[in-house]
Structure formats: structure tokens, C-alpha cells
């Protein structure tokens, strides 16, 4: 059980983030009515939330309580892990790309200031700090998620006997 301690820690770190992402999903549902292009990011974020919940259920029910889980739980974990890998790689590369090119970030903030008629003067610096903070958060989150997914695939191989074959 001690070898699962890092996995447990990562799981408990991902749970509150998944809760926040699920609230964001509800808000994005309303955005899809106005802009259907939001459906793909909505789908990817939903898969991340489902992945985190499914792996936590497996950890609690299968590994901790030694109960047999349905084989569909393993399928849910695998499918959503694949989409979560794509999401993580996209977030990781985009965060690194924007953090390494401050000129591009400044251009994006300038465009926001131009498009918003009531944009307060001088708040570009505050907006830049907020965006940088979000980028650092997404960089860390996507890294943790990738590590968790790799660990999950290893654990699924080791504990495959906890899944029923119905």
C-alpha cells in the first residue's frame, strides 16, 4: 500500500480541481447555446472530470475495500484517460508557448482592450498577471494529470483482478 501513496496524493490533489472544472462545465453549457465551437473544449473537460472521478472510485472501492468493480469502470477510466492525455498535452504545450513568448501575450491583451469598449485603462497589467497565473496553474495541473494517468495505466495492469468480466 505504501507504493500507492504518491498516487493517492495525486488523486486527492485532482479531486478539488475536478470539482471546480465541473462547475465550469455547467457554465460552459450555456455558452454552447451562443457558440457551438465551445463543445469540443467542454467535451474534453468533461472527460477529465469523469476520469478523475472514475479513478477515485476505483482507488476507494477496488484497491482500498478489495471489492470487485465492474469492467465498465475500467473502460471508463481508459477512454477518458486517452482524452485527458490529449487535453493535458494541449494545455501543457499552449501554456509553455504563451509563457515563453511575452510579446504574443501582450498582443492578445491589447486585442481584448480594443474589443471591450468599457475596458478600464491601466488594467492591462492586472489582466496579464491573471492570465500568467492561469497559465502557470494549467501547466502544473496538466503535468500532475499526465503523471496520474501514467500511474493509473500501471495500476490497472497490476490490479486487473479487481474487475469483473461480465
Amino acid at each position: 500500500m505504501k507504493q500507492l501513496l504518491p498516487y493517492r496524493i495525486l488523486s486527492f490533489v485532482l479531486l478539488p480541481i475536478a470539482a471546480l472544472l465541473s462547475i465550469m462545465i455547467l457554465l460552459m453549457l450555456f455558452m454552447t447555446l451562443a457558440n457551438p465551437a465551445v463543445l469540443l473544449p467542454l467535451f474534453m473537460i468533461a472527460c477529465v472530470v469523469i476520469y478523475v472521478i472514475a479513478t477515485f472510485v476505483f482507488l476507494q472501492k477496488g484497491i482500498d475495500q478489495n471489492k470487485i468493480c465492474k469492467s465498465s469502470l475500467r473502460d471508463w477510466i481508459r477512454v477518458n484517460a486517452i482524452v485527458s492525455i490529449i487535453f493535458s498535452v494541449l494545455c501543457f504545450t499552449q501554456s509553455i508557448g504563451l509563457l515563453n513568448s511575452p510579446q504574443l501575450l501582450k498582443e492578445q491583451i491589447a486585442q481584448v482592450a480594443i474589443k471591450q469598449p468599457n475596458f478600464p485603462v491601466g488594467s492591462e497589467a492586472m489582466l496579464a498577471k491573471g492570465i500568467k497565473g492561469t497559465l502557470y496553474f494549467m501547466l502544473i495541473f496538466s503535468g500532475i494529470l499526465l503523471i496520474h494517468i501514467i500511474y493509473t495505466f500501471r495500476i490497472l495492469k497490476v490490479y486487473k483482478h479487481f474487475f469483473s468480466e461480465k
Side-chain angles (χ1 to χ4, degrees):
M1 286 294 176
K2 278 193 173 185
Q3 67 265 18
L4 290 177
L5 184 63
Y7 185 73
R8 289 179 195 283
I9 292 170
L10 291 176
S11 295
F12 280 107
V13 166
L14 289 175
L15 272 177
I17 298 171
L20 291 174
L21 289 176
S22 63
I23 294 170
M24 193 170 92
I25 289 170
L26 293 174
L27 297 174
M28 287 177 71
L29 278 173
F30 295 112
M31 290 174 50
T32 58
L33 297 173
N35 188 3
V38 179
L39 279 172
L40 183 61
L42 176 72
F43 168 74
M44 293 178 88
I45 293 170
C47 286
V48 170
V49 172
I50 292 169
Y51 164 78
V52 170
I53 292 170
T55 56
F56 190 74
V57 167
F58 173 62
L59 179 66
Q60 293 296 310
K61 185 179 176 187
I63 296 173
D64 289 344
Q65 299 175 7
N66 290 328
K67 292 183 180 178
I68 301 296
C69 300
K70 294 181 181 178
S71 62
S72 62
L73 180 64
R74 180 182 57 213
D75 297 336
W76 275 97
I77 292 172
R78 285 180 179 171
V79 169
N80 288 301
I82 292 169
V83 177
S84 297
I85 289 171
I86 296 168
F87 174 80
S88 294
V89 169
L90 285 173
C91 285
F92 197 81
T93 56
Q94 289 174 354
S95 296
I96 288 176
L98 284 173
L99 288 170
N100 284 336
S101 61
Q103 185 61 31
L104 181 63
L105 192 59
K106 287 180 184 177
E107 290 173 10
Q108 295 296 322
I109 292 171
Q111 287 180 2
V112 168
I114 291 171
K115 290 181 181 178
Q116 298 293 327
N118 297 329
F119 195 76
V121 177
S123 63
E124 289 91 1
M126 193 167 83
L127 183 61
K129 284 182 182 180
I131 291 174
K132 282 184 181 180
T134 303
L135 289 172
Y136 282 121
F137 171 77
M138 290 306 294
L139 186 69
I140 293 168
F141 170 67
S142 60
I144 290 172
L145 188 60
L146 280 172
I147 293 168
H148 190 270
I149 292 168
I150 292 167
Y151 215 134
T152 298
F153 280 130
R154 289 182 183 168
I155 288 175
L156 285 176
K157 287 180 183 176
V158 172
Y159 293 100
K160 63 183 172 188
H161 58 277
F162 281 123
F163 295 103
S164 66
E165 297 298 326
K166 288 184 180 179

